[in-house]
Amino acid sequence: MRIYVTSVFVADQARALDFYTRVLGFRVKHDVPAGEYRWLTVVSPQDPDGTELLLEPGAHPAVGPYRAALAADGIPATSFMVDDLDAEYERLRALGVAFTLKPKGAGPVRMAVLDDTCGNLIQLVQMQAAPAPAAAG
Amino acid sequence: MTDEELDRVFKALGDPTRRRIIDRLRERPEQSLFELCAGAAADGGVALSRQAVTQHLDLLERAGLVRVAWAGRTKLHSLDLGPLHAAVAQWLRPHL
């Protein structure tokens, strides 16, 4: 069994497509009409055959309260890994992205949280270099 | 300050996690629940569930030591040391 897709609810798929591709830098993998919506997924150019992110319509009545409660506590809907958090932070800020949490250390990772303009907070994570193993004997 | 209000302040201080939350909010005001929990994880100490931190924050808020403000859709917590100063002046200082 493999995880091939994960999803975020978005208020507007067209707007989400713009943010997740032009701003974040992902690429469209599937864009298939599905009734009044689309089956719309993006992938990382660093891993085009990897797990897809589904930009899922947020029309279900449960989505509003769910997202409002997460946002109230500052909890991200999902998390993406980056190689250089400070560089991504500067790049995205230059593109007008709002961050609710600037880059900061949190144990084994550094992280930041941004607003995807589609109703979600998104966490960016950079793994810290593993500490050098203790010298033997 | 009524006895009840004094109780709430001293009870709020009577827990190591709540004192640590106060320390963290003093270092950096306007933190969300998520940020406070991430800070606890970064401490390398005992990890705290969001539910536990929520309950501690509620108790601090009822004591008047934590104030909540909204930044957009996110709730931010900051310290208010007013009730602490009042409690010290009213009951603690006469004994010092």
Side-chain angles (χ1 to χ4, degrees):
Chain A
M1 200 178 291
R2 291 180 298 139
I3 299 172
Y4 76 104
V5 70
T6 183
S7 67
V8 289
F9 290 112
V10 297
D12 178 326
Q13 284 187 301
R15 183 190 180 95
L17 180 59
D18 178 64
F19 184 85
Y20 279 80
T21 56
R22 183 182 57 81
V23 179
L24 291 187
F26 294 137
R27 287 184 192 152
V28 174
K29 177 92 171 201
H30 294 293
D31 186 356
V32 184
E36 56 184 307
Y37 300 111
R38 300 144 77 175
W39 179 264
L40 179 59
T41 71
V42 296
V43 289
S44 165
Q46 292 173 274
D47 192 11
D49 297 320
T51 306
E52 297 167 45
L53 179 71
L54 174 66
L55 304 175
E56 187 164 5
H60 190 281
V63 173
Y66 161 76
R67 294 208 297 184
L70 287 185
D73 285 340
I75 298 172
T78 191
S79 179
F80 302 134
M81 186 172 288
V82 297
D83 297 326
D84 184 339
L85 183 63
D86 292 320
E88 280 293 347
Y89 173 74
E90 293 302 330
R91 181 183 78 82
L92 292 170
R93 266 175 49 99
L95 290 171
V97 175
F99 279 77
T100 61
L101 191 57
K102 294 175 186 168
K104 65 178 278 182
V109 302
R110 294 187 76 240
M111 65 172 190
V113 178
L114 60 85
D115 186 325
D116 77 352
T117 72
C118 305
N120 306 294
L121 299 178
I122 300 291
Q123 182 181 38
L124 300 183
V125 158
Q126 176 186 354
M127 300 306 290
Q128 300 276 51
Chain B
M1 240 182 163
T2 65
D3 265 333
E4 244 176 36
E5 287 166 333
L6 278 175
D7 288 349
R8 281 199 287 268
V9 168
F10 288 119
K11 187 182 176 192
L13 299 177
D15 178 276
T17 301
R18 288 197 290 275
R19 290 195 298 273
R20 195 71 195 95
I21 290 173
I22 289 172
D23 293 341
R24 294 210 148 277
L25 290 178
R26 189 186 178 100
E27 285 163 23
R28 192 212 287 242
E30 301 195 325
Q31 295 194 55
S32 69
L33 174 69
F34 176 78
E35 187 175 359
L36 278 165
C37 291
D43 266 352
V46 180
L48 289 168
S49 73
R50 285 171 186 155
Q51 287 74 14
V53 175
T54 297
Q55 286 175 6
H56 286 307
L57 282 172
D58 284 347
L59 215 142
L60 286 164
E61 205 181 321
R62 283 203 297 278
L65 296 172
V66 162
R67 302 260 172 205
V68 158
W70 288 83
R73 299 180 302 139
T74 301
K75 204 162 72 168
L76 300 180
H77 306 84
S78 299
L79 217 48
D80 182 350
L81 293 178
L84 188 55
H85 286 298
V88 167
Q90 182 173 324
W91 189 84
L92 204 53
R93 199 179 306 287
H95 295 286
L96 296 176

Short mmCIF file of all heavy atoms in Angstrom, two decimals, chain A residues 27 35 43 51-52 54 57 63-64 91-92 102 104 112 117 119-120 123 126 134:
data_model
loop_
_atom_site.label_atom_id
_atom_site.label_comp_id
_atom_site.label_asym_id
_atom_site.label_seq_id
_atom_site.Cartn_x
_atom_site.Cartn_y
_atom_site.Cartn_z
N ARG A 27 3.82 21.65 -9.87
CA ARG A 27 3.36 21.49 -11.26
C ARG A 27 2.06 20.71 -11.28
O ARG A 27 1.85 19.81 -10.46
CB ARG A 27 4.39 20.70 -12.06
CG ARG A 27 5.63 21.50 -12.38
CD ARG A 27 6.55 20.69 -13.26
NE ARG A 27 7.85 21.34 -13.34
CZ ARG A 27 8.98 20.70 -13.55
NH1 ARG A 27 8.98 19.39 -13.73
NH2 ARG A 27 10.13 21.36 -13.60
N GLY A 35 -17.77 17.01 -12.75
CA GLY A 35 -18.98 17.76 -12.44
C GLY A 35 -18.70 19.24 -12.50
O GLY A 35 -18.04 19.72 -13.42
N VAL A 43 2.18 18.26 -8.21
CA VAL A 43 3.32 17.52 -7.66
C VAL A 43 4.51 18.47 -7.56
O VAL A 43 4.54 19.53 -8.20
CB VAL A 43 3.73 16.31 -8.54
CG1 VAL A 43 2.69 15.21 -8.46
CG2 VAL A 43 3.95 16.75 -9.99
N THR A 51 4.13 11.69 -4.32
CA THR A 51 2.78 11.90 -3.81
C THR A 51 2.18 13.17 -4.40
O THR A 51 2.82 14.21 -4.45
CB THR A 51 2.81 12.00 -2.28
OG1 THR A 51 3.47 10.83 -1.77
CG2 THR A 51 1.41 12.08 -1.71
N GLU A 52 0.93 13.06 -4.83
CA GLU A 52 0.24 14.22 -5.39
C GLU A 52 -0.54 14.95 -4.30
O GLU A 52 -0.98 14.35 -3.33
CB GLU A 52 -0.75 13.77 -6.48
CG GLU A 52 -0.07 13.11 -7.67
CD GLU A 52 -1.06 12.40 -8.57
OE1 GLU A 52 -2.12 12.98 -8.87
OE2 GLU A 52 -0.77 11.25 -8.95
N LEU A 54 -3.89 16.93 -3.81
CA LEU A 54 -5.20 17.19 -4.42
C LEU A 54 -5.75 18.52 -3.87
O LEU A 54 -5.84 18.71 -2.66
CB LEU A 54 -6.16 16.05 -4.06
CG LEU A 54 -7.63 16.19 -4.47
CD1 LEU A 54 -7.76 16.18 -5.99
CD2 LEU A 54 -8.46 15.07 -3.86
N PRO A 57 -12.19 20.69 -3.64
CA PRO A 57 -13.20 21.73 -3.39
C PRO A 57 -13.68 21.70 -1.95
O PRO A 57 -13.92 20.62 -1.39
CB PRO A 57 -14.34 21.36 -4.35
CG PRO A 57 -13.71 20.50 -5.39
CD PRO A 57 -12.58 19.78 -4.72
N VAL A 63 -16.40 21.60 6.08
CA VAL A 63 -15.08 22.17 5.83
C VAL A 63 -14.89 23.51 6.53
O VAL A 63 -13.84 23.78 7.11
CB VAL A 63 -14.84 22.33 4.31
CG1 VAL A 63 -13.55 23.08 4.04
CG2 VAL A 63 -14.79 20.95 3.64
N GLY A 64 -15.92 24.36 6.52
CA GLY A 64 -15.81 25.69 7.13
C GLY A 64 -15.43 25.62 8.60
O GLY A 64 -14.41 26.20 9.00
N ARG A 91 11.98 34.26 -0.69
CA ARG A 91 11.41 34.17 -2.04
C ARG A 91 9.89 34.37 -1.99
O ARG A 91 9.33 35.15 -2.78
CB ARG A 91 11.72 32.79 -2.64
CG ARG A 91 11.20 32.59 -4.06
CD ARG A 91 11.49 31.19 -4.59
NE ARG A 91 10.58 30.18 -4.07
CZ ARG A 91 9.35 29.94 -4.56
NH1 ARG A 91 8.88 30.66 -5.57
NH2 ARG A 91 8.60 29.00 -4.02
N LEU A 92 9.23 33.69 -1.06
CA LEU A 92 7.77 33.75 -1.00
C LEU A 92 7.29 35.11 -0.50
O LEU A 92 6.28 35.63 -0.97
CB LEU A 92 7.23 32.61 -0.12
CG LEU A 92 7.45 31.21 -0.73
CD1 LEU A 92 7.13 30.13 0.29
CD2 LEU A 92 6.58 31.04 -1.98
N LYS A 102 7.15 33.19 11.37
CA LYS A 102 8.42 33.32 10.68
C LYS A 102 9.30 32.11 11.00
O LYS A 102 9.07 31.43 11.99
CB LYS A 102 9.12 34.61 11.14
CG LYS A 102 8.39 35.87 10.74
CD LYS A 102 9.08 37.09 11.32
CE LYS A 102 8.24 38.33 11.04
NZ LYS A 102 8.69 39.49 11.82
N LYS A 104 11.54 29.51 12.48
CA LYS A 104 12.06 29.34 13.83
C LYS A 104 12.38 27.87 14.06
O LYS A 104 11.84 26.99 13.39
CB LYS A 104 11.07 29.85 14.88
CG LYS A 104 9.77 29.07 14.95
CD LYS A 104 8.86 29.59 16.05
CE LYS A 104 9.24 29.04 17.40
NZ LYS A 104 8.34 29.51 18.47
N ALA A 112 8.26 27.25 9.35
CA ALA A 112 7.54 28.50 9.20
C ALA A 112 6.13 28.13 8.77
O ALA A 112 5.88 27.00 8.33
CB ALA A 112 8.21 29.39 8.16
N THR A 117 -3.92 31.58 1.05
CA THR A 117 -4.96 32.45 0.48
C THR A 117 -6.20 31.66 0.04
O THR A 117 -7.12 32.23 -0.54
CB THR A 117 -4.47 33.29 -0.74
OG1 THR A 117 -4.30 32.43 -1.88
CG2 THR A 117 -3.17 34.01 -0.43
N GLY A 119 -7.66 29.49 2.31
CA GLY A 119 -8.31 29.07 3.55
C GLY A 119 -7.46 28.21 4.46
O GLY A 119 -7.92 27.79 5.52
N ASN A 120 -6.19 27.96 4.06
CA ASN A 120 -5.35 27.07 4.85
C ASN A 120 -4.07 27.73 5.33
O ASN A 120 -3.51 28.58 4.64
CB ASN A 120 -4.93 25.85 4.01
CG ASN A 120 -6.12 25.14 3.41
OD1 ASN A 120 -6.94 24.59 4.12
ND2 ASN A 120 -6.22 25.20 2.09
N GLN A 123 2.49 24.61 6.61
CA GLN A 123 3.78 24.60 7.29
C GLN A 123 4.89 24.26 6.31
O GLN A 123 4.74 23.35 5.48
CB GLN A 123 3.75 23.55 8.41
CG GLN A 123 5.03 23.47 9.22
CD GLN A 123 4.95 22.39 10.29
OE1 GLN A 123 4.37 21.32 10.07
NE2 GLN A 123 5.49 22.67 11.45
N GLN A 126 12.20 22.50 7.33
CA GLN A 126 13.55 22.11 6.90
C GLN A 126 14.13 21.22 7.99
O GLN A 126 14.16 21.61 9.16
CB GLN A 126 14.43 23.35 6.71
CG GLN A 126 15.87 23.02 6.36
CD GLN A 126 16.76 24.25 6.33
OE1 GLN A 126 16.30 25.39 6.45
NE2 GLN A 126 18.05 24.04 6.16
N ALA A 134 28.34 10.46 18.37
CA ALA A 134 29.35 10.56 19.42
C ALA A 134 30.57 9.71 19.05
O ALA A 134 30.44 8.63 18.47
CB ALA A 134 28.76 10.06 20.75
#
